[in-house]
Amino acid sequence: MAAARRARAGDPRAGFRRPEGEPGSAVPQGLIRAARKSGQLNLSGRSLSEVPQRVWRINLDTPEEAHQNLSFGAADRWWEQVDLTKLILASNKLQCLSEDVKLLPSLTVLDVHDNQLTSLPSALGHLENLQKLDVSHNKLKTIPEELMQLTHLKSLLLHHNELSHLPDGFGQLVNLEELDLSNNHLTDIPRSFALLINLVRLSVAYNQLRNLPADISAMKSLRQLDCTKNCLETVPSELASMASLEQLYLRKNKLCYLPEFPSCKLLKELHAGENQIEILNAENLKHLNSLSVLELRDNKIKSVPDEITVLQKLERLDLANNDISRLPYTLGNLPQLKFLALEGNPLRAIRRDLLQKGTQELLKYLRSKIQDDVTSPNEEPAVTAMTLPSESRINMHAITSLKLLEYSEKQAAVIPDEMFDAVRSNPVTAVNFSKNQLNEIPARIVELKDWVCDVNLGFNKLSSISLELCMLHKLTHLDIRNNFLTSLPEEMETLTRLQIINLSFNRFKVFPSVLYRVLALETILLSNNQVGSIDPLQLQKMDKLGTLDLQNNDLLQVPPELGNCETLRCTCRRA
């Protein structure tokens, strides 16, 4: 009785509560009433095993309030209802959709992702106004031919299903701009894809494709093509004629060589890591004037051509884990290069400690060798019987020539004061105290705040970050992997120049919130922790963030909103 009195009194919550005795299956009358006014109905996450009939008939049935002897204000005039245009049924327990979906012909958005659908009703073909259809994360094995009648469809999301075949008539979806077919069982692509001339983003990642049809080159609007983790041994040469292509992902395939890209003048990102590529030559590079990211890690590349300097806009170059024995010194002349990964190569002319101390110092070293590329680098003076103990552990050559303060792999619990004393009037830009037994960050590190931009404290026993570290206002690269960290201090917000942070193999249970406010960050490596959730809305504000690695954490699912971060590559898989 009290609830009824509140309803008559205009309680704004009345009608939105689930009726007692009908857990999970009921749709509150208040939601239906609101949907008639707004044209939008969100029933996500309600444990629905089927869609109530009154949802399908929302445009047809007379509202219940029309039969009641009630007075209505201007806001409650049921006869002015609008047709339903947006229906969200995501994250329920639906195993099928009723053919009655055709009773909602005004729908422009239908979202049923994250259910248990094994098929789709042919009646979907009647939704001629539909512009976005999301049926991802289901158990679909086939797509009905009738779906090809949705000629106004702009976004079709079919990823994470069990599709092994696509209808030949796919090319009828001529207005399609976004198509995600990733994480299925596809072995080929219909040739009719060539008719999708308005398609901007296409993902066929994580399938079983052995080749791409040459006709794919007819997609003149395509800007992003993701073919990651297939069985591709070659890429059709016609791909090189796709003039609008900006991002191309070919990672985790069986490619033995890179194609040439004579017409891809707008290509900004090329990801071809984890293949079997052996040769990188000038022909692969000479047309890629707009390239900003080149990722070729985990291949068999033996050398880097001098012509890599034509990539004047290159910002990220990943050549880790190849067979490269030498680098062209001209690499140091790339004006925009901010990240260079070379670990896991048998480089002979570049010392290991130099590789560890960051991109900018490595580039500086390469530039210094351009005029002297036949002279071997200076060696550290040998330790003799006349060498004082303090001198034997201070690498003055690294301090004066490489601007590096190094005291790594000593298994030390503290950093000796003479290390900081040795800097004196020799400013250093990089610090490497990795692979020791440090329980805390040396307080004297603050003495380097006017110069240092690269700090490596990985492989220690740190359980907290000191305020002294937060005062290194020029810091751009921070490596604190393999420690015992569970949180980061809010004071890290002052590190406004920080671009790369490596927090892998620590003990974080939540994503460090302070990182959302370090807007200069381009790379966050947080794999092998215990992070359970992330805030996609906060990540969207980090417009410079390009890489987020969350592999082997406790994430139950990846927030779909991450799809709005168009420049972000997020890796969240478990081992």
Side-chain angles (χ1 to χ4, degrees):
M1 292 297 292
R5 284 196 298 272
R6 283 197 298 271
R8 288 194 298 270
D11 184 353
R13 298 169 296 177
F16 284 87
R17 302 186 182 88
R18 288 181 182 157
E20 293 183 11
E22 300 180 43
S25 63
V27 176
Q29 182 61 30
L31 278 180
I32 298 291
R33 189 159 54 242
R36 288 196 175 101
K37 297 176 185 176
S38 67
Q40 301 183 11
L41 180 57
N42 186 346
L43 298 177
S44 61
R46 290 183 168 267
S47 300
L48 296 176
S49 57
E50 61 180 12
V51 180
Q53 190 66 19
R54 59 177 170 162
V55 172
W56 301 130
R57 300 186 58 83
I58 190 172
N59 295 341
L60 303 177
D61 291 344
T62 304
E64 291 181 13
E65 54 265 34
H67 303 295
Q68 300 172 7
N69 185 20
L70 299 171
S71 60
F72 294 92
D76 294 315
R77 294 184 293 196
W78 55 265
W79 54 87
E80 293 182 356
Q81 74 175 36
V82 297
D83 285 347
L84 199 65
T85 59
K86 183 175 183 179
L87 177 59
I88 301 176
L89 298 166
S91 300
N92 282 293
K93 299 178 180 179
L94 303 176
Q95 296 183 2
C96 64
L97 285 181
S98 168
E99 295 285 340
D100 286 337
V101 69
K102 64 186 177 184
L103 301 178
L104 301 174
S106 298
L107 280 183
T108 59
V109 175
L110 177 58
D111 184 349
V112 287
H113 83 265
D114 189 21
N115 277 282
Q116 301 168 21
L117 300 178
T118 56
S119 63
L120 294 175
S122 58
L124 281 177
H126 292 276
L127 304 182
E128 59 182 20
N129 292 301
L130 201 62
Q131 297 181 25
K132 179 176 181 178
L133 175 61
D134 187 348
V135 291
S136 62
H137 292 273
N138 279 285
K139 299 178 180 179
L140 300 176
K141 290 182 170 57
T142 59
I143 299 296
E145 292 282 349
E146 290 81 2
L147 200 67
M148 305 302 106
Q149 300 170 17
L150 303 178
T151 55
H152 290 95
L153 204 60
K154 293 183 177 180
S155 175
L156 177 56
L157 306 181
L158 292 161
H159 54 94
H160 290 89
N161 277 287
E162 300 173 12
L163 301 173
S164 57
H165 178 73
L166 296 175
D168 292 332
F170 228 98
Q172 298 174 45
L173 303 176
V174 292
N175 286 303
L176 210 56
E177 297 177 3
E178 177 184 30
L179 175 59
D180 194 339
L181 293 161
S182 63
N183 291 277
N184 279 285
H185 307 316
L186 299 175
T187 56
D188 56 27
I189 294 175
R191 295 188 63 181
S192 64
F193 266 42
L195 301 175
L196 302 178
I197 57 174
N198 291 303
L199 200 63
V200 175
R201 290 182 295 278
L202 170 62
S203 177
V204 290
Y206 290 85
N207 278 284
Q208 299 164 23
L209 302 177
R210 296 191 175 278
N211 56 68
L212 294 176
D215 304 318
I216 200 173
S217 61
M219 298 180 182
K220 298 301 182 184
S221 300
L222 197 65
R223 295 205 297 263
Q224 183 184 88
L225 174 59
D226 191 346
C227 302
T228 300
K229 194 65 169 69
N230 278 280
C231 305
L232 301 176
E233 296 182 1
T234 60
V235 175
S237 58
E238 289 82 358
L239 192 71
S241 66
M242 302 180 73
S244 297
L245 199 60
E246 296 181 3
Q247 296 175 307
L248 176 59
Y249 298 90
L250 298 168
R251 301 187 74 248
K252 297 177 181 286
N253 279 284
K254 299 179 180 180
L255 301 177
C256 294
Y257 62 89
L258 273 181
E260 298 174 19
F261 299 95
S263 298
C264 297
K265 305 293 187 184
L266 300 179
L267 191 64
K268 293 181 174 63
E269 296 188 25
L270 174 57
H271 300 261
E274 296 188 55
N275 280 283
Q276 300 169 25
I277 299 169
E278 296 185 4
I279 297 175
L280 179 64
N281 58 41
E283 294 300 314
N284 300 132
L285 304 175
K286 67 181 183 181
H287 302 290
L288 303 178
N289 299 328
S290 298
L291 202 67
S292 62
V293 176
L294 178 58
E295 188 265 300
L296 294 167
R297 68 181 297 125
D298 296 288
N299 277 286
K300 300 178 181 179
I301 297 170
K302 292 179 172 58
S303 63
V304 179
D306 290 336
E307 290 81 2
I308 198 165
T309 53
V310 303
L311 306 180
Q312 289 289 294
K313 294 184 179 179
L314 196 64
E315 297 180 10
R316 300 177 58 82
L317 176 59
D318 192 341
L319 296 169
N321 302 322
N322 277 279
D323 296 329
I324 300 168
S325 58
R326 66 172 296 275
L327 286 178
Y329 294 139
T330 50
L331 191 63
N333 283 334
L334 290 176
Q336 304 295 326
L337 196 60
K338 299 174 183 175
F339 177 82
L340 175 60
L342 294 167
E343 65 268 16
N345 282 286
L347 291 165
R348 298 194 186 102
I350 300 177
R351 291 165 32 161
R352 187 161 60 100
D353 61 339
L354 182 59
L355 293 176
Q356 291 178 342
K357 67 188 194 53
T359 296
Q360 295 308 313
E361 287 304 309
L362 178 55
L363 295 179
K364 188 184 297 184
Y365 169 78
L366 293 173
R367 287 193 294 269
S368 74
K369 303 299 289 183
I370 290 175
Q371 301 300 323
D372 190 26
D373 60 359
V374 295
T375 303
S376 61
N378 295 325
E379 298 295 330
E380 292 181 33
V383 177
T384 69
M386 296 300 293
T387 305
L388 296 176
S390 60
E391 292 174 344
S392 69
R393 57 185 178 185
I394 297 176
N395 186 343
M396 289 305 299
H397 168 70
I399 291 175
T400 57
S401 300
L402 306 179
K403 310 298 183 186
L404 166 67
L405 180 60
E406 183 186 20
Y407 197 77
S408 62
E409 300 187 62
K410 307 292 187 185
Q411 299 302 308
V414 295
I415 304 298
D417 281 339
E418 54 259 42
M419 292 300 298
F420 293 99
D421 295 338
V423 174
R424 295 193 185 95
S425 59
N426 297 302
V428 294
T429 56
V431 173
N432 184 1
F433 293 158
S434 65
K435 297 183 180 178
N436 282 296
Q437 301 288 322
L438 301 180
N439 292 307
E440 58 184 12
I441 298 173
R444 289 188 65 181
I445 201 169
V446 73
E447 297 174 16
L448 312 177
K449 63 184 179 64
D450 292 330
W451 314 301
V452 74
C453 59
D454 189 330
V455 171
N456 187 349
L457 289 161
F459 298 91
N460 278 287
K461 296 183 177 180
L462 302 175
S463 58
S464 64
I465 298 299
S466 68
L467 296 184
E468 285 83 4
L469 186 75
C470 301
M471 297 173 68
L472 304 182
H473 56 271
K474 292 191 175 181
L475 198 62
T476 60
H477 185 179
L478 178 59
D479 188 342
I480 40 180
R481 75 183 101 170
N482 290 78
N483 278 284
F484 301 147
L485 299 173
T486 58
S487 64
L488 297 179
E490 296 300 310
E491 287 79 4
M492 283 188 69
E493 185 177 3
T494 61
L495 300 178
T496 56
R497 300 187 185 185
L498 189 62
Q499 297 173 2
I500 301 172
I501 187 167
N502 191 341
L503 299 166
S504 303
F505 292 94
N506 275 284
R507 298 180 179 181
F508 290 95
K509 294 186 177 180
V510 296
F511 188 93
S513 60
V514 66
L515 295 184
Y516 293 129
R517 303 194 295 280
V518 183
L519 299 183
L521 277 170
E522 299 174 2
T523 298
I524 299 176
L525 306 179
L526 199 57
S527 65
N528 295 281
N529 280 278
Q530 302 167 40
V531 175
S533 65
I534 50 178
D535 188 337
L537 298 180
Q538 294 283 3
L539 287 174
Q540 287 178 36
K541 299 175 184 177
M542 304 176 71
D543 55 3
K544 295 185 179 179
L545 189 62
T547 300
L548 174 61
D549 187 350
L550 290 165
Q551 293 186 85
N552 299 324
N553 275 279
D554 292 341
L555 293 170
L556 296 179
Q557 66 176 17
V558 181
E561 295 90 346
L562 276 186
N564 296 326
C565 304
E566 295 187 359
T567 62
L568 178 63
R569 294 295 297 171
C570 179
T571 306
C572 304
R573 296 188 305 277
R574 286 182 171 272

